[in-house]
Amino acid sequence: MKVLAIESTCDETAAAVVENFGDGVRVIKNIVASSMEMHQKYGGIVPEVAAREQIRSIIPVIIEALVDTEVDAVAVSYGPGLMGSLLIGVETAKVLAWSWKKPLLRVNHMTAHVLANWIGENNVPELPAVGLVVSGGHTDLILLESLTKWTWIGGTRDDAAGEVYDKAARILGLPYPGGPEMDKAASKITEEEWNKNKNVFKLPRPLIHDPRLDMSFSGIKAAIARMVESEDFKTWIPGQARNDVKGGVRFLDSRHGVPVARNDELKRNLLAREFSEAVTEVLVKKTMLAVEKYQPRSVLLAGGVAANKKLREALRNEVEKYGINFFVPELKYCGDNAAMVGAAAILRPEETGLDLKPDPSLGVV
Ligand code: KG4
Ligand code: ZN
């Protein structure tokens, strides 16, 4: 079965053509347009701007995905996401399904992130599996007993990991979206610099010793804001090795986006590294707790934050040490894309009528 899949939940407008292949899914075309640049000047997503950009991009993106291809069905993610953005994809998918007289398949965007692990020509994950879903709006641990039987087993009590990455980046004066920028800043710290300075700026690892699968990230965000404003941070003198660092970077006040201090880049990168250590440690610890508790055959990582280099490496290490398989989508299928929506439509088809409405608050299960 060949499916045209449409994704418009937030600031990416995407269309893909995918087909079933063995037990998984093969991607024939995958087109993504993003309105990220428009949002960068505001330091975050402006829903009205995102929806307008969806309208501008949706038809060109679909036309590009469909070149030389006919499909058997139309799939669309109908939530969670921003109402204005969701409406564009959902209404477009309805019109296409109706005019082509093809089935319309609805897809939960978070389910699609997880099922991105079935894309490609490699082995598909063996079930049962524990899934860690980390995106801008979600941080959840789920148990997948089959392709359709999923149970929520834990997650954040407050902010999602991606959201905290974005806020921390803003505090450190890095552009939106913060996750990839924090990742880059953190990876500029050499192992030598890290070993010398890793105890200088310590952030908390909330609930890390708590035996439950609950997580919390808002405390890390608050701690980084306090740290940047503290005298310690402003007066800390970087190690001899980096005395050549010239120029300053702007650190922004978390609420008002105004510069509160000038400091050198090493401090910022070091703090970004400590931040990613803290978030990663919590995510890995909780996932491994779930592994011990549920004894799965695989662990799956999914969502935009699954693109994070440190998290991919650290979780893979622990899972493989435990002796089970680790899966994470290729980078291009971690962030929002339509190939994952097509994968979900093929693996968990949910045919629906032309009365389909967006549901901005859908959960992962
Ligand atoms: O799944 P996604 O593309 O959109 C949602 O469904 O929310 O996730 C976006 C989130 C953003 O918070 C972004 O900063 C974060 O994923 N992200 C990263 C990285 N790449 C994207 N966070 C940490 N490291 C990255 N490399
Ligand atoms: Zn997403």
Side-chain angles (χ1 to χ4, degrees):
M1 180 167 83
K2 243 185 225 175
V3 174
L4 167 69
I6 297 172
E7 156 64 38
S8 76
T9 55
C10 192
D11 59 341
E12 264 89 23
T13 315
V17 176
V18 306
E19 66 182 353
N20 45 326
F21 173 76
D23 292 329
V25 173
R26 172 159 59 197
V27 178
I28 297 167
K29 271 280 174 58
N30 182 43
I31 312 293
V32 185
S34 172
S35 57
M36 193 80 78
E37 276 174 28
M38 312 270 303
H39 304 291
Q40 269 168 352
K41 60 178 177 227
Y42 303 108
I45 290 175
V46 183
E48 173 69 20
V49 174
R52 284 176 195 220
E53 288 302 304
Q54 292 286 355
I55 295 176
R56 264 167 30 120
S57 306
I58 194 121
I59 300 297
V61 161
I62 290 174
I63 289 173
E64 202 178 333
L66 274 178
V67 172
D68 299 330
T69 325
E70 287 207 358
V71 296
D72 307 300
V74 180
V76 63
S77 45
Y78 74 110
L82 302 170
M83 190 48 146
S85 292
L86 283 165
L87 273 168
I88 316 298
V90 167
E91 294 307 313
T92 309
K94 282 187 202 173
V95 170
L96 292 176
W98 176 78
S99 60
W100 293 340
K101 300 188 173 46
K102 303 284 183 196
L104 177 65
L105 306 167
R106 64 173 199 184
V107 171
N108 174 327
H109 174 87
M110 297 314 297
T111 308
H113 270 303
V114 177
L115 292 172
N117 279 294
W118 272 254
I119 295 176
E121 315 220 336
N122 302 326
N123 290 339
V124 299
E126 280 181 314
L127 301 179
V130 161
L132 172 65
V133 193
V134 266
S135 72
H138 287 79
T139 299
D140 297 303
L141 279 164
I142 51 172
L143 178 67
L144 293 81
E145 289 170 80
S146 71
L147 279 174
T148 49
K149 187 163 184 236
W150 295 11
T151 317
W152 184 90
I153 53 175
T156 184
R157 288 180 183 174
D158 41 53
D159 296 351
E163 185 184 344
V164 175
Y165 258 105
D166 294 335
K167 296 265 167 60
R170 197 185 162 106
I171 294 168
L172 292 179
L174 294 167
Y176 181 86
E181 294 292 331
M182 291 288 280
D183 205 358
K184 262 191 254 161
S187 62
K188 285 187 188 150
I189 292 294
T190 63
E191 282 317 290
E192 194 192 337
E193 279 165 342
W194 181 239
N195 287 331
K196 200 150 111 195
N197 297 305
K198 66 180 165 199
N199 294 319
V200 179
F201 305 123
K202 267 302 196 202
L203 293 170
R205 274 75 172 150
L207 300 178
I208 199 153
H209 300 298
D210 187 306
R212 291 167 299 175
L213 297 177
D214 290 19
M215 295 179 238
S216 166
F217 296 101
S218 64
I220 307 184
K221 178 180 73 187
I224 206 167
R226 270 200 312 274
M227 192 163 280
V228 167
E229 285 166 24
S230 74
E231 279 311 304
D232 264 8
F233 189 80
K234 289 177 193 162
T235 54
W236 177 70
I237 300 180
Q240 211 48 35
R242 294 297 301 264
N243 275 347
D244 57 327
V245 173
K246 293 206 180 67
V249 289
R250 288 185 336 142
F251 289 88
L252 302 183
D253 176 273
S254 52
R255 283 149 303 160
H256 310 299
V258 295
V260 293
R262 283 189 175 273
N263 280 287
D264 78 291
E265 207 183 323
L266 175 60
K267 279 186 205 176
R268 171 160 78 181
N269 295 347
L270 205 51
L271 202 43
R273 170 74 186 259
E274 168 63 2
F275 176 85
S276 85
E277 293 280 339
V279 173
T280 305
E281 269 174 45
V282 173
L283 291 170
V284 170
K285 180 77 193 291
K286 295 293 173 171
T287 308
M288 295 315 293
L289 267 182
V291 166
E292 274 159 30
K293 185 161 176 196
Y294 293 99
Q295 297 290 316
R297 297 169 80 180
S298 344
V299 170
L300 320 177
L301 177 60
V305 184
N308 187 270
K309 200 161 161 260
K310 170 139 224 94
L311 178 60
R312 291 167 86 90
E313 287 172 5
L315 191 56
R316 177 184 294 282
N317 267 342
E318 288 304 308
V319 170
E320 290 183 351
K321 233 195 285 169
Y322 199 84
I324 56 176
N325 291 319
F326 176 71
F327 289 84
V328 60
E330 270 180 64
L331 283 182
K332 62 181 171 206
Y333 303 129
C334 285
D336 289 349
N337 67 88
M340 68 182 193
V341 176
I346 284 177
L347 298 163
R348 276 179 68 152
E350 285 182 32
E351 195 168 339
T352 184
L354 293 176
D355 56 351
L356 175 66
K357 289 188 181 54
D359 186 345
S361 56
L362 276 181
V364 64
V365 289

